[in-house]
Amino acid sequence: MQTAILLAIMVVPLLVRERSTPTATRPHLRTVLRSLVEVFSIRSVFVMAMVMLAIHVALGVLTANAFALFTQELGWSPEAYTQLTGGWGLLAGLGGSIVGGLLADVLGRRRLVAIASIAMAAGWLVFALLSSQWMNGAFVYTLAMFETACTSIMVVGLFALCMDVAWPPVGASQFTAYMSLSNFSTTLGFLLTSELPASFDYRTCYFVAAGYQLVVTALLLWVDPTETRRTLPRPAGARIPAMGIVAVVVLASVLLTSTTYAVYRIVTR
């Protein structure tokens, strides 16, 4: 079923006729690389990359831990847990996405991401503080739906914020880099799942995740959505910023190292 849906989605852009632009020329690889170096020399662009790399780690850890918590510690059946995450959870996610899209222009992308992220961390704190209510179905369902809605709103805001700091000449490459960092952020959380419970109980994991989420959210203070378009393009003949070269090398190294580590962990298991 999922494969059929994905194939149907793939067909849609194939049926769309692109506007003919015979005067457009494809930029050389050297030009693209230089543009990426220039754009990542901007503070907001680089900090945004760090945000995308870090913001889903705690969520990845708790998502992976939740199955063991509910089915092993709290005695839920796998079917009941699936109904929580795949039933009402999908509706909460859809609703959060719609609300996020409506609020992004009203509140601003950065403010929306911060509010959703802080609200999600607050939900984790409440869940940890009221561990005596973990057997209360209404309590669990309410906070689970709240977390899913906050996640969807945050993701919508993040996508819009990434577009804000992107530079149109290399926007596709820059946005793809952000999405790669975001995907690995969740994967990194999954990989850390087996590490935290060995050091903390489930309740403490939620406390740690909430604190971590608040720290990552604070990075948004150094993201200015308008900085890219104010700074670029630079005057003709301007030198390539050294900071941009360092930033691109650091990001490439992080992705390479992280991917290698992920493959190693999967193979060794």
Side-chain angles (χ1 to χ4, degrees):
M1 180 72 72
Q2 185 179 33
T3 302
I5 293 173
L6 291 175
L7 288 174
I9 294 173
M10 183 186 70
V11 170
V12 174
L14 295 179
L15 300 177
V16 175
R17 183 183 298 276
E18 294 184 273
R19 181 185 303 174
S20 177
T21 54
T23 59
T25 57
R26 180 175 299 176
H28 295 292
L29 177 60
R30 182 178 178 180
T31 302
V32 174
L33 291 177
R34 179 188 175 96
S35 298
L36 285 174
V37 168
E38 287 206 31
V39 74
F40 275 103
S41 69
I42 298 173
R43 183 195 64 186
S44 295
V45 174
F46 183 74
V47 174
M48 192 68 215
M50 296 297 98
V51 169
M52 297 303 287
L53 178 62
I55 200 161
H56 294 307
V57 172
L59 183 63
V61 170
L62 296 183
T63 299
N65 270 335
F67 182 80
L69 169 62
F70 282 92
T71 60
Q72 298 177 19
E73 298 291 325
L74 303 181
W76 286 42
S77 68
E79 293 77 14
Y81 181 73
T82 301
Q83 185 178 4
L84 171 67
T85 58
W88 292 107
L90 293 178
L91 293 178
L94 175 61
S97 298
I98 295 173
V99 171
L102 295 174
L103 293 179
D105 292 330
V106 176
L107 298 176
R109 281 81 153 154
R110 185 177 64 168
R111 184 178 299 174
L112 179 66
V113 173
I115 291 174
S117 183
I118 293 172
M120 184 167 62
W124 293 340
L125 283 176
V126 171
F127 189 76
L129 289 171
L130 299 180
S131 57
S132 60
Q133 297 297 314
W134 285 5
M135 298 302 293
N136 184 331
F139 171 78
V140 171
Y141 261 86
T142 298
L143 282 187
M145 298 305 101
F146 178 76
E147 178 197 74
T148 303
C150 288
T151 302
S152 298
I153 293 172
M154 183 180 72
V155 168
V156 169
L158 284 170
F159 285 0
L161 190 56
C162 286
M163 294 177 187
D164 284 342
V165 300
W167 189 29
V170 287
S173 299
Q174 186 180 344
F175 190 79
T176 299
Y178 284 146
M179 293 304 100
S180 298
L181 292 168
S182 175
N183 290 336
F184 186 75
S185 180
T186 305
T187 303
L188 185 60
F190 291 160
L191 292 174
L192 292 174
T193 301
S194 60
E195 308 295 338
L196 282 183
S199 304
F200 309 113
D201 57 22
Y202 287 109
R203 183 169 179 263
T204 306
C205 282
Y206 277 90
F207 280 123
V208 173
Y212 171 87
Q213 194 69 24
L214 293 176
V215 171
V216 173
T217 304
L219 292 176
L220 292 171
L221 294 171
W222 288 274
V223 176
D224 180 355
T226 66
E227 185 178 8
T228 301
R229 286 164 175 77
R230 290 201 321 268
T231 307
L232 299 177
R234 291 186 171 91
R239 298 180 59 182
I240 298 178
M243 179 58 191
I245 299 176
V246 173
V248 170
V249 171
V250 168
L251 290 176
S253 300
V254 168
L255 284 173
L256 180 61
T257 303
S258 302
T259 303
T260 303
Y261 173 72
V263 172
Y264 169 77
R265 288 290 301 273
I266 293 172
V267 171
T268 53
R269 285 181 181 180

